[in-house]
Amino acid sequence: MNNTLSLHVNGKDYEIDIDPDTPLLYVLRNELGLNGAKFGCGLQQCGACTVLLDGESRLSCQLPVREAVKFKIRTIEGLVRDDGSLHPVQAAFVKEQAAQCGYCLNGMVMASVALLEGNNNPSDDEIRKKLAINICRCGAHSRIIKAVKTAAQEL
Amino acid sequence: MAAPITLSCENQTAPLTEKSLDKNDINSWLQVLEDGRIRIYTGKLELGQGISTAVKQVAAEELDTSLDMIEVNMAETGVTPDEGFTAGSMSIESSAMSIRQAAASAREAILKLAAQKWRIPVSELFLKDGRVRGKDKEATLYELLKGRQIEGSLDSSVELKGKTVRKYVGQPLPRKDIEAMVRGEAVFVQDLRFPRMVHARVVHPPGYASRIVSMDEDAIQKLPGLLKIVRKGNFVGVIAEKEYGAIQLKRKVDSFIQWDTSPGLPDQSALKSHLKALPADVEVHEDRGNAEKVLKESTTQLTASFFKPYLMHAANGPSCAVAFFDNERLKVWSHCQGAYPLRRTLAKLMEMPEDSVNVKAVPGSGCFGHNGANDVAAEAALLAREFPGRHIRLQWMRDDENGWEPFGTAMMVDLRASLDDKGKIAAWNCDVWSDGHSNRPNENPNTLLPAHFLERDYGHPGIGYRGGAWRNAAPYYTIPNLKVRSHMFQGPLRVSSLRSLGTYTNILAVESLMDELAEQAQKDPIQFRIEHLRDARAIECIQKLQKHIADVTLGQNEGLGVAFSRYKNETVYCAMAAKVYVDRGTGKVRVKKLWAVVEAGETINPDGLKNQTEGGMIQSASWALMEEVKFDRKHITSLDWGSYPMLRFPDTPEVEVEVIDRPDQPPVGAGEASMAPTTAAIVNAIYRSTGVRVRTLPVNRELLRA
Ligand code: FES
Ligand code: FES
């Protein structure tokens, strides 16, 4: 049942031999060794698995990989610049120490990148609305909002 | 295609020889590495509480060494000292303080060694960034020790620079692990990967009391992609090469099992009366004066009954473990809170000698107490034994986690209190109904979930730790006649420790009634509390809070409430205020802002303390407004985030925290302190806004509609 698919991830092309129904999340994590996106619910309810598809934030836990081949996929690993320095959104999360356990961070960072690429001066409400899908059990919300605002200034 | 990935937090070097595990030896906490860096060993695990940064700070201070030169080895059996569990906010009090003492003792031992060797008085030598320096002498610690480790015991008489110099301690130093996380590096147990690792899933029963009637093994064996099916009694697991393959197999195998789904749970709509009718073990914890007599004679007695539902830990990332079995040896990587207790219990479950089992703790998703971590580790171990020679990674699905984790128990508190003629509290009677608050792995396999599915009957783990139930049930206020009793029941759901244990419900009750008594006494609620406190630190904490809220203005349908507690009546002080808005049309409560003042004695890292306090405030608001484990007669029905909703970004309050630092006091862990006062302040604010007293959680909107 496997097919060979080609995926475009973080600027590179990958040929993968895989069951095409496999959700993108497992392909990124297990086939490509990209650990950033996380399994939180597998039900499109929590945002832990967020990636960017053609610049838009999308949940990867139920998206069959055969549908992902059409997109330019960007993961949190792909935000890091060539010289190893952090993307302004990543840097802002570090600066504001916007995490406790950090399991939700991937989703928070990726959704924020998508938000800021379309709107470089979001209001509090716009940030809250954009991150509404993203669950943070640790209650790091106020720091995360602050980090998004800090990032907006740097961009 | 994937290359083996190792955790960025995992040390690559093998444990050094000569490593002691005796908690009195310097060497068991601290070692000097060849490259001049220092490795700290803690039996605790990073749970997002920032403990690794805190232990680096205390060690850096005593050794006057930059943080970058210090690495931390978290809990691992046979490597770190046995410090029990990372729980009860005790990591700072216990582990960090031992490490501080070890580092200070190490400093003195090294200076003495250099002094002898160079024939220079100790007073002319100092330690800086991993080197001992004198007038014209200098050596790295490693050179000085000639590759050996520092010998000697912890010396409690040495100077603690953390109390005097405070170059690192008390500073809001940033955590380093957040950068690794935003880079997407492998930080969590969920991210562990080993060459040839395979994936497993467990087919959990569809109900608390379900048993297998029949299972079509032939059909299952023919399923494509199946590497192994494991069945032991009612425990069923599948192993596959690919993770998604294992997930699909879990579903398919389940369709080939016929389960007996006899009801095992009570009717939730009558839960309160069900719990109160259970046989209870009653104990008196406080009996001062004669509360019963004074209450009987009072004409102003107030009574109130409170209820808190079963709550979930609800970790963002479902529990996960990797297990490897070979040559009669087992190694498990787990986000458990206690590596040694899990090892002891696993050894019993697996009927293996303890020293053939190795448990390494690796960070997971924030757990807030005893969640499914140990259970998934035990399940992975059972599967690994049936599939030796390859690493088995097992992660629970969302419904495994929500359905089977040990919850925080439902509780009830009944209070009666009265005032004297001067408006002071004369008598207070408290009755607490609760299941236990800790069923952590205790060597009996029945503290591990899969033991309940095996053929052998390990029995019910029982009520477990009783102390959690009446924690903070006795008010911290001065009350001449006081009686506190706990009624322990064994409830229908699996339970264990959840952040702040019984304090959450007890303080909700105490602080609600304090507000009612203040009203009856016609006093300002803050003033009323202060009049009943004798502890200057408590009063200062409340007065600081008063300043934060002095200028708050309230609009229509808004209310401001306050609450206070000293956690366990002996550790952290926390004063809290909440501003809420209640939509009288829908009854929806919006917590707009929360203010907290916390004092946890000596502060090791004020930003870490703030972060944990803020997180607790938001989590507590979520508990109060939204959370309740739901079940039908067969099973838990809150199996996803739709059926177990929690507070999300559009509704999270703004939070503001002030930390009072008291370097002259011992530090106490503060991770649980804000939970109870937050909810209490919220319900008090709801009362101010609506005149309705909320005594049953989660807040029932119907009561608040005008
Ligand atoms: S894992 Fe995809 S939304 Fe939760
Ligand atoms: S930081 Fe733990 S889930 Fe957000």
Side-chain angles (χ1 to χ4, degrees), chain B residues 374-396:
Chain B
N374 304 288
D375 302 323
V376 79
E379 294 184 338
L382 287 168
L383 296 173
R385 176 152 62 191
E386 306 302 318
F387 204 75
R390 292 182 75 176
H391 290 80
I392 310 255
R393 178 185 182 276
L394 170 61
Q395 183 165 21
W396 275 1

Side-chain angles (χ1 to χ4, degrees), chain A residues 25-26 38-50 58-62 133, chain B residues 316 398 641:
Chain A
L25 175 65
Y26 304 106
K38 299 279 183 278
F39 175 81
C41 64
L43 305 165
Q44 301 192 315
Q45 293 177 337
C46 78
C49 61
T50 307
R58 297 276 298 271
L59 304 173
S60 67
C61 61
Q62 288 190 340
I133 184 76
Chain B
N316 209 337
R398 178 47 56 196
W641 298 138

Side-chain angles (χ1 to χ4, degrees), chain A residues 15-145:
Chain A
E15 298 270 290
I16 305 161
D17 191 34
I18 192 95
D19 172 357
D21 289 338
T22 308
L24 176 63
L25 175 65
Y26 304 106
V27 178
L28 295 173
R29 291 182 57 83
N30 299 333
E31 309 304 317
L32 305 185
L34 296 170
N35 270 309
K38 299 279 183 278
F39 175 81
C41 64
L43 305 165
Q44 301 192 315
Q45 293 177 337
C46 78
C49 61
T50 307
V51 296
L52 301 183
L53 299 186
D54 290 347
E56 266 184 54
S57 58
R58 297 276 298 271
L59 304 173
S60 67
C61 61
Q62 288 190 340
L63 181 80
V65 62
R66 70 179 130 71
E67 284 174 34
V69 297
K70 322 193 263 274
F71 299 101
K72 284 201 174 75
I73 302 166
R74 212 164 158 210
T75 71
I76 197 165
E77 292 88 345
L79 298 180
V80 179
R81 299 202 169 121
D82 289 343
D83 65 358
S85 65
L86 296 177
H87 182 281
V89 173
Q90 292 171 312
F93 274 73
V94 174
K95 175 159 182 247
E96 301 299 343
Q97 293 282 290
Q100 269 180 58
C101 78
Y103 201 86
C104 67
L105 262 195
N106 169 72
M108 301 296 175
V109 169
M110 298 313 279
S112 303
V113 169
L115 171 69
L116 295 175
E117 280 179 1
N119 172 1
N120 61 15
N121 190 19
S123 67
D124 222 83
D125 277 352
E126 285 169 320
I127 297 170
R128 287 170 181 265
K129 217 165 144 204
K130 176 70 188 175
L131 299 179
I133 184 76
N134 295 83
I135 282 181
C136 174
R137 186 47 163 171
C138 302
H141 302 73
S142 64
R143 286 171 180 238
I144 291 169
I145 294 172

Side-chain angles (χ1 to χ4, degrees), chain B residues 3 83 114-115 131 160 197 316 324 328 330 336 356 375 411 498 565 599 624 645 662:
Chain B
E83 292 196 83
R131 305 178 87 85
L160 295 177
M197 182 173 86
N316 209 337
F324 181 80
E328 301 307 314
L330 173 70
C336 63
S356 301
D375 302 323
M411 274 179 74
L498 174 64
S565 86
E599 195 248 273
R662 291 199 196 277

Side-chain angles (χ1 to χ4, degrees), chain B residues 530-576:
Chain B
I530 291 175
E531 282 171 15
H532 286 86
L533 285 166
R534 286 206 197 120
D535 179 344
R537 289 166 72 184
I539 293 170
E540 185 181 338
C541 200
I542 295 178
Q543 285 172 336
K544 286 229 151 93
L545 178 75
Q546 226 168 353
K547 293 209 181 94
H548 285 273
I549 55 174
D551 300 324
V552 172
T553 52
L554 296 173
Q556 220 200 346
N557 293 332
E558 288 185 341
L560 187 66
V562 296
F564 166 80
S565 86
R566 185 175 190 194
Y567 191 52
K568 303 179 187 174
N569 282 346
E570 59 180 31
T571 65
V572 190
Y573 299 85
C574 179
M576 186 75 61

Side-chain angles (χ1 to χ4, degrees), chain B residues 104-177:
Chain B
S105 309
R107 177 191 68 225
E108 298 305 322
I110 288 165
L111 292 180
K112 217 188 264 167
L113 187 72
Q116 277 165 5
K117 194 164 159 194
W118 297 335
R119 299 177 188 281
I120 303 177
V122 169
S123 58
E124 288 170 27
L125 292 171
F126 64 98
L127 194 65
K128 177 95 191 146
D129 289 332
R131 305 178 87 85
V132 184
R133 295 182 190 179
K135 220 163 126 226
D136 36 35
K137 294 270 187 199
E138 187 172 331
T140 67
L141 300 190
Y142 193 81
E143 287 160 3
L144 201 65
L145 291 161
K146 295 205 185 93
R148 293 177 57 86
Q149 289 302 331
I150 303 163
E151 278 166 23
S153 315
L154 266 54
D155 177 356
S156 57
S157 67
V158 295
E159 182 197 344
L160 295 177
K161 308 238 181 217
K163 292 283 186 188
T164 51
V165 180
R166 303 197 97 210
K167 184 167 154 197
Y168 298 98
V169 168
Q171 308 301 322
L173 299 179
R175 284 166 52 184
K176 283 277 184 272
D177 49 349

Side-chain angles (χ1 to χ4, degrees), chain B residues 43-349:
Chain B
K44 305 289 179 176
L45 176 63
E46 180 63 53
L47 305 169
Q49 82 282 47
I51 184 67
S52 51
T53 307
V55 301
K56 274 189 196 173
Q57 282 176 270
V58 297
E61 187 78 61
E62 301 311 322
L63 299 165
D64 201 352
T65 293
S66 81
L67 248 48
D68 300 336
M69 295 195 63
I70 297 178
E71 64 172 46
V72 179
N73 196 120
M74 297 274 163
E76 180 173 1
T77 57
V79 178
T80 62
D82 181 355
E83 292 196 83
F85 295 103
T86 308
S89 303
M90 294 295 291
S91 299
I92 293 271
E93 284 163 62
S94 54
S95 198
M97 290 306 100
S98 301
I99 288 163
R100 162 183 276 180
Q101 208 72 58
S105 309
R107 177 191 68 225
E108 298 305 322
I110 288 165
L111 292 180
K112 217 188 264 167
L113 187 72
Q116 277 165 5
K117 194 164 159 194
W118 297 335
R119 299 177 188 281
I120 303 177
V122 169
S123 58
E124 288 170 27
L125 292 171
F126 64 98
L127 194 65
K128 177 95 191 146
D129 289 332
R131 305 178 87 85
V132 184
R133 295 182 190 179
K135 220 163 126 226
D136 36 35
K137 294 270 187 199
E138 187 172 331
T140 67
L141 300 190
Y142 193 81
E143 287 160 3
L144 201 65
L145 291 161
K146 295 205 185 93
R148 293 177 57 86
Q149 289 302 331
I150 303 163
E151 278 166 23
S153 315
L154 266 54
D155 177 356
S156 57
S157 67
V158 295
E159 182 197 344
L160 295 177
K161 308 238 181 217
K163 292 283 186 188
T164 51
V165 180
R166 303 197 97 210
K167 184 167 154 197
Y168 298 98
V169 168
Q171 308 301 322
L173 299 179
R175 284 166 52 184
K176 283 277 184 272
D177 49 349
I178 296 180
E179 176 162 346
M181 291 169 188
V182 297
R183 284 180 180 275
E185 284 172 17
V187 172
F188 302 98
V189 67
Q190 285 88 349
D191 301 333
L192 275 174
R193 246 162 262 283
F194 296 89
R196 300 182 66 242
M197 182 173 86
V198 292
H199 294 270
R201 288 294 181 274
V202 171
V203 187
H204 284 122
Y208 251 54
S210 303
R211 318 244 127 218
I212 295 177
V213 177
S214 66
M215 173 164 148
D216 188 345
E217 303 237 11
D218 292 343
I220 289 169
Q221 291 296 352
K222 291 194 196 101
L223 289 171
L226 182 78
L227 288 178
K228 179 107 190 168
I229 171 97
V230 175
R231 176 180 174 188
K232 293 178 169 296
N234 297 292
F235 173 76
V236 179
V238 292
I239 300 172
E241 249 356 295
K242 301 273 182 201
E243 187 170 13
Y244 185 58
I247 294 169
Q248 287 173 303
L249 283 164
K250 168 182 162 89
R251 296 187 186 130
K252 284 190 193 133
V253 166
D254 201 12
S255 70
F256 289 117
I257 300 176
Q258 199 200 332
W259 298 94
D260 144 31
T261 53
S262 43
L265 299 177
D267 174 7
Q268 186 166 23
S269 66
L271 184 62
K272 284 185 203 177
S273 51
H274 173 84
L275 296 179
K276 270 204 177 159
L278 290 172
D281 170 12
V282 186
E283 210 171 275
V284 176
H285 305 291
E286 287 279 350
D287 198 0
R288 185 190 308 153
N290 192 339
E292 203 48 60
K293 180 160 168 279
V294 178
L295 283 166
K296 215 176 257 162
E297 289 164 3
S298 158
T299 51
T300 58
Q301 193 189 125
L302 286 178
T303 63
S305 298
F306 299 85
F307 174 82
K308 173 228 152 203
Y310 287 99
L311 291 177
M312 235 177 243
H313 298 82
N316 209 337
S319 296
C320 183
V322 175
F324 181 80
F325 184 90
D326 209 11
N327 296 325
E328 301 307 314
R329 294 191 63 81
L330 173 70
K331 174 142 189 181
V332 176
W333 290 259
S334 162
H335 53 114
C336 63
Q337 290 175 290
Y340 283 94
L342 176 59
R343 167 162 88 168
R344 291 192 276 272
T345 315
L346 266 182
K348 291 266 163 41
L349 175 77

